[in-house]
Amino acid sequence: GNDLKAIPEYIFEFVDLIELSINKLKIPDISNAIGNITNLKKLVYLDVSGNSLTELPKEILNLRELKTLKVGENNLSKLPKNIKNLINLTSLSINDTGFKVLPPEICLFINLTELNLSQNFLKELPREIIQLKKLKMLDLSINDLILTDEQNRWIDYLIKNGCNVKY
């Protein structure tokens, strides 16, 4: 664990910072604590997993250069609509969040190469999943998936295109 009680404000003054891991902190309201994250315009990697977030802080959605976003092990029930602003994402981890439905917005990330959806309560996949043509890793393990024949064909399609699918 981490014993930080607050995120030091000076962190957000490192405008050339490209990686930031603020995972598994014991800060009661991390959403307020990262208000100045938008100063980090060069950030390409952000890990906010394990922070009891109930929603993704809107400031994160302004990090246009972000390539990797890890938001797993939080209490998210949905992703914000404007997550589609993160057009450069190549890796997204939303494991162990309690998702029951895969947000269709995820399928807008045409540059995704890694998508971790493990340890949720997903029952099905949206057809749009096959739009992720660059996907090389899709983790669907430990979900409640009951795939139809059509959904199995979508997974076969991803596998044939070089994606390693775990389910």
Side-chain angles (χ1 to χ4, degrees):
N2 197 317
D3 293 330
L4 274 180
K5 300 293 182 244
I7 298 173
E9 278 297 310
Y10 64 82
I11 288 200
F12 303 112
E13 294 173 17
F14 296 118
V15 294
D16 290 328
L17 196 66
I18 58 171
E19 290 190 15
L20 180 60
S21 290
I22 46 178
N23 57 316
K24 298 182 181 164
L25 298 179
K26 295 176 183 168
I27 298 172
D29 187 6
I30 194 170
S31 293
N32 286 337
I34 64 171
N36 292 328
I37 200 166
T38 52
N39 293 346
L40 306 178
K41 299 197 184 314
K42 296 180 181 179
L43 206 61
V44 295
Y45 177 97
L46 178 61
D47 185 352
V48 294
S49 57
N51 282 307
S52 302
L53 291 172
T54 54
E55 62 183 36
L56 201 57
K58 64 184 181 304
E59 293 82 5
I60 290 174
L61 304 175
N62 294 319
L63 299 172
R64 306 280 184 185
E65 298 304 314
L66 211 54
K67 292 186 183 306
T68 298
L69 178 60
K70 296 184 176 211
V71 296
E73 301 172 52
N74 282 298
N75 301 318
L76 303 173
S77 58
K78 62 180 180 163
L79 292 176
K81 292 274 185 238
N82 40 348
I83 193 161
K84 63 182 181 256
N85 293 349
L86 301 177
I87 57 171
N88 289 311
L89 272 189
T90 57
S91 178
L92 178 60
S93 292
I94 51 176
N95 57 301
D96 196 12
T97 58
F99 274 41
K100 294 180 179 156
V101 177
L102 181 63
E105 293 83 13
I106 288 176
C107 299
L108 297 173
F109 299 123
I110 57 170
N111 293 315
L112 268 188
T113 57
E114 297 179 12
L115 180 56
N116 183 350
L117 299 166
S118 65
Q119 297 177 308
N120 282 297
F121 300 100
L122 298 175
K123 292 184 180 358
E124 61 183 356
L125 296 176
R127 184 182 204 310
E128 294 84 3
I129 196 92
I130 60 174
Q131 294 172 357
L132 301 176
K133 298 192 186 314
K134 295 183 181 179
L135 212 53
K136 296 297 173 206
M137 190 284 296
L138 174 61
D139 191 345
L140 298 167
S141 60
I142 312 173
N143 272 289
D144 297 333
L145 289 171
I146 301 171
L147 299 175
T148 64
D149 289 344
E150 185 178 21
Q151 291 169 337
N152 275 313
R153 283 193 295 275
W154 302 339
I155 288 180
D156 288 344
Y157 173 82
L158 291 171
I159 292 169
K160 285 177 186 159
N161 281 302
C163 183
N164 177 17
V165 181
K166 291 186 201 174
Y167 62 106

